[in-house]
Amino acid sequence: MLLQCAAACTPAEPPLPTVQAPEPAAPDARAPEAGDAGLWQASTRSPEPSEAQGLAARLGALCARQEGALDRVATRLAARGDAALEPAELGFELRVAGSPHVWPRSWSYAGSALDPEDALSRAKRWLAGFGDGGKRSCGAAHVKGNGQEAVFLVAVDALADLNGVPVRARPGQWLDVSARMLVDARGAKVIVLGPRGAPRAIPTSLDAGVVRARFAPSSPGAWLLQVLADVDKGPRPVLEALVHADSAPPGAFHSAPAPGEEAGAALTDPASALFAMVNAARRAEGAGALTRNSELERAALVHAEAMRDTRSLGHDVGKGSVKSRLAELGLEPSAYGENVARAATAERAHRAIWASPSHRGNLLEPRYDSVGIAAVVGPDGVWVTEVFADLR
C-alpha cells in the first residue's frame, strides 16, 4: 500500500489506512467490474448527498458527513468482496465515483450473521485510529448473500470541497476550478500534470478560503488537476480531479512503471534504490543528476523514523517541518522541497511519487542539486522521505 504527499518551499503529498480483510462475502447482486469506463461520473465534485439506508446509513453517521460518491466506492468494494486495495487503486475508485478527496482509507467486516451494534463498535474503533484534520467524510455499504453478511466503509478526512469539474472535455476548452477550504490555509495552488511533460502550476487565487483557477487541456489525453494547500502541517494535496480530453476514461486501474524504476532493481537497500531511481528519472527528463548529501540524509531520516513510529504521513509529525529540520542542521538553502511516501516497496513509492504532480515537480526541479533520502522499514511497509535542496 502507498500514500504520499509533497512540500515544495522557496524561502524569500495517512495516519495511514488500516485495512481489515473480510471473510468472503457475496453481495446480493453482482455489480459491474471495478474500473468499468461506463461507471465514471460526469464530473468530480464534493460533497454529494448520501442516499444510504439501514446499517449503511448508521455506519455513515459515525462520521461528520456521509457522501454519495464514497457510498458508490464502498458498494464497488462490496461487489469485489475486498476492501484491501492499495491506496493508489482506492484513489482511482474515488475518481471513477466522482470524488475529489485524497488519502482514502477502507475497512470491512464480515461474518455469517453480523450484530449491527458490534459492527458499529468495530467501525468506530477503526475510525478513531487515524486523523488528518478537516471534516471526516465516509461512504458505506451493507451486503448479504450466500449465507454471508458484510459491511464496507470508506473514509477520508476532507480538507477541501470541489465544485464540479467535468471528467470529459475538449482540448482548448476552458475549465473553472473552484474549491472551498474546510481548514485554514496560508496559501494554495493548482498543479496540472498532462499526458506528457513536467507538471506545472497554473495561476491560482485564494480568497476567504476559496481557491480559484482556470485551465484548458492543450492536447488529447488524461490531465490530472491537483489542489495543493499550505495547511497546519505544511503543503499537501487536498483535492484531485482527472479530466480526459478527447479520450475515454480508462476501464480499469493500471499502475504503470515510472521512469527510472528499473535503476534500483539490483539494489537491496531501499534508500540507495530510491536514489538511483530519482537520478534515472531526472536523466530521462533532461534534468541534472543530484548529489546525495549526508546532512539532508539526516533531516530525511529523523522524519522517516518519526512517520514510522507514529504511523502518520505528513511533513510535520512531531519532529518539525522540513524547514525547521534543515535549520537545526545549520542549513539555509535557497530552495528546498520534500516528498514523503509509504509503500510496500521502494519501487512502489517511486511510482506513486512520479504519478503525483506536486511530487514529480519536486523530483524534477532543476534548481535542486542535492538530495537526502531515507527509507525505513516498519510493519506497514517502507516509509520514505526525500529532501531536495539547492546547496550551491
Side-chain angles (χ1 to χ4, degrees), residues 110-345:
S112 57
L114 298 185
D115 177 347
E117 300 307 319
D118 177 56
L120 287 165
S121 178
R122 290 171 181 268
K124 190 173 183 179
R125 289 198 299 271
W126 175 69
L127 289 166
F130 58 88
D132 298 331
K135 181 172 288 189
R136 177 65 54 84
S137 302
C138 291
H142 176 211
V143 293
K144 297 180 181 179
N146 297 335
Q148 288 285 310
E149 185 175 358
V151 290
F152 289 77
L153 192 60
V154 176
V156 298
D157 284 337
L159 274 65
D161 281 324
L162 182 69
N163 289 342
V165 172
V167 166
R168 294 174 183 257
R170 303 182 308 275
Q173 177 183 345
W174 284 101
L175 307 175
D176 289 317
V177 180
S178 176
R180 180 174 62 87
M181 295 299 305
L182 301 176
V183 298
D184 291 337
R186 293 178 291 273
K189 59 183 175 181
V190 176
I191 302 175
V192 176
L193 180 60
R196 291 172 296 279
R200 61 185 178 88
I202 60 177
T204 306
S205 67
L206 173 63
D207 182 34
V210 177
V211 181
R212 290 187 175 89
R214 295 194 79 209
F215 156 77
S218 58
S219 64
W223 294 79
L224 176 60
L225 308 179
Q226 185 181 77
V227 179
L228 189 73
D230 189 2
V231 295
D232 61 342
K233 293 186 178 180
R236 57 154 285 188
V238 296
L239 296 167
E240 289 184 352
L242 276 168
V243 175
H244 300 87
D246 277 358
S247 63
F253 172 76
H254 177 63
S255 180
E261 193 171 313
E262 70 289 344
L267 300 172
T268 57
D269 173 55
S272 297
L274 282 162
F275 176 64
M277 286 185 264
V278 165
N279 270 339
R282 287 177 66 90
R283 285 194 297 271
E285 296 295 317
L290 303 176
T291 300
R292 202 167 175 182
N293 179 274
S294 60
E295 291 182 305
L296 296 181
E297 210 111 298
R298 288 170 59 192
L301 181 60
V302 68
H303 188 62
E305 290 177 339
M307 290 193 299
R308 177 199 59 192
D309 294 345
T310 60
R311 299 186 68 201
S312 299
L313 193 79
H315 296 290
D316 185 350
V317 295
K319 297 293 185 179
S321 66
V322 59
K323 180 179 181 179
S324 66
R325 282 179 269 124
L326 292 175
E328 287 179 3
L329 296 171
L331 298 177
E332 294 184 358
S334 58
Y336 58 90
E338 178 174 77
N339 288 342
V340 299
R342 195 269 302 185
T345 65

Side-chain angles (χ1 to χ4, degrees), residues 2-19:
L2 49 88
L3 276 177
Q4 67 285 330
C5 64
C9 315
T10 304
E13 284 37 210
L16 291 167
T18 300
V19 178

Side-chain angles (χ1 to χ4, degrees), residues 41-57:
Q41 299 299 300
S43 65
T44 304
R45 60 190 177 92
S46 67
E48 179 183 340
S50 170
E51 298 180 356
Q53 298 179 355
L55 183 54

